[in-house]
Amino acid sequence: MLVSESNLNNVLEDVYILETGTYYFFEDFIISEINEGMLFDWQMAQELLHLAENHYGTENKIAYISNRVHSYSLVPQDWLKFFKARNSISAFAVVSYNEKEKSDILIERLFFKSKIKKFFDLNDAVDWAKEQQKEYIIKKTTA
């Protein structure tokens, strides 16, 4: 399900349509929909990081949902750079719509040391991301 087909539009704060995909910014999380056939690399990730820092600030972590409605590739070494360079993600959800992608999350778990979870429904991923963000905020304010 595309974000544009969901009931999330009423809580959407901002949307960015880039050459790489569409990025939806909400209060507690970001949802990405990378375009078909893209090779998502470090340069593209930096563009997203810049948008997120402008929107949320540099002091806050945010939940990230990869809504994989299109087929695309990731550069694994670049994900390592992404997660090492920015400790700005509180939780990472992957929404997959086909059986092939089930194993892809295993590779991402090698690079991402915080909470990561696979979903087959966008709404379930959003509920989980909101809960993870609440837990992060509680930990942040009581630390």
Side-chain angles (χ1 to χ4, degrees):
M1 169 191 322
L2 294 166
V3 171
S4 61
E5 299 168 345
S6 74
N7 62 352
L8 297 170
N9 292 328
N10 61 339
V11 292
L12 180 64
E13 290 186 351
D14 216 339
V15 62
Y16 298 92
I17 301 171
L18 307 177
E19 185 178 314
T20 58
T22 305
Y23 305 91
Y24 301 89
F25 285 61
F26 298 87
E27 180 181 354
D28 298 319
F29 56 93
I30 296 171
I31 299 176
S32 69
E33 293 177 349
I34 307 297
N35 289 337
E36 182 75 30
M38 291 298 306
L39 177 62
F40 197 79
D41 62 12
W42 175 236
Q43 183 177 347
M44 294 172 190
Q46 286 181 309
E47 188 174 15
L48 177 56
L49 286 168
H50 179 72
L51 291 172
E53 286 177 354
N54 285 340
H55 188 88
Y56 299 106
T58 57
E59 303 296 317
N60 298 310
K61 290 185 178 187
I62 196 74
Y64 180 81
I65 301 171
S66 176
N67 190 28
R68 298 196 176 157
V69 292
H70 305 294
S71 179
Y72 63 93
S73 301
L74 303 170
V75 178
Q77 301 87 336
D78 287 356
W79 274 112
L80 184 59
K81 290 178 192 175
F82 177 79
F83 292 126
K84 279 188 171 186
R86 311 281 188 198
N87 192 16
S88 57
I89 298 176
S90 63
F92 181 47
V94 175
V95 183
S96 177
Y97 298 94
N98 68 50
E99 294 296 317
K100 177 202 164 284
E101 292 181 354
K102 281 185 177 181
S103 62
D104 291 351
I105 196 169
L106 298 174
I107 295 169
E108 288 159 337
R109 281 192 175 136
L110 295 173
F111 300 111
F112 188 61
K113 301 304 179 192
S114 294
K115 295 181 181 181
I116 184 169
K117 191 164 180 180
K118 179 83 155 207
F119 294 90
F120 297 99
D121 180 83
L122 179 59
N123 291 318
D124 291 343
V126 167
D127 291 343
W128 181 80
K130 287 179 180 179
E131 187 60 36
Q132 298 307 305
Q133 195 63 14
K134 285 179 190 173
E135 288 179 20
Y136 162 71
I137 290 169
I138 290 169
K139 286 178 186 176
K140 182 180 174 183
T141 57
T142 59

